[in-house]
Amino acid sequence: MAIRIQLDRVLLERRMSLTELADRVGVTLANLSILKTGKARAIRFSTLDALCRELNCQPGDLLVHEPGPQATAGEDDADA
């Protein structure tokens, strides 16, 4: 996937643990771990909003687009 989440970098910059962030945001540690390791396929805007609020950052600080090969059919949602 061409979108990557840089949660680990932002946490390191803020000197905050994943456990502390989970408590502050109200998201399970397991779900934040999925985001951190890049295994997430989607993120809710409400979760992104809570992460930005607690980490005092912008969505662009967490999300990075890395161009790569075109997605195959069915890999990503259709534009609608």
Side-chain angles (χ1 to χ4, degrees), residues 36-48:
K36 184 178 171 201
T37 58
K39 295 179 182 176
R41 301 283 299 155
I43 184 170
R44 292 178 187 263
F45 280 131
S46 59
T47 301
L48 185 58

Side-chain angles (χ1 to χ4, degrees), residues 47-62:
T47 301
L48 185 58
D49 178 56
L51 290 172
C52 289
R53 182 186 65 242
E54 293 302 325
L55 293 170
N56 192 29
C57 68
Q58 294 294 313
D61 297 329
L62 294 171

Side-chain angles (χ1 to χ4, degrees), residues 7-35:
L7 185 57
D8 53 348
R9 181 187 56 80
V10 177
L11 283 170
L12 184 63
E13 289 172 359
R14 304 298 191 275
R15 295 190 172 110
M16 186 183 298
S17 71
L18 199 61
T19 304
E20 181 181 352
L21 182 61
D23 289 341
R24 288 181 174 200
V25 174
V27 175
T28 66
L29 186 58
N31 284 337
L32 281 184
S33 181
I34 289 168
L35 284 173

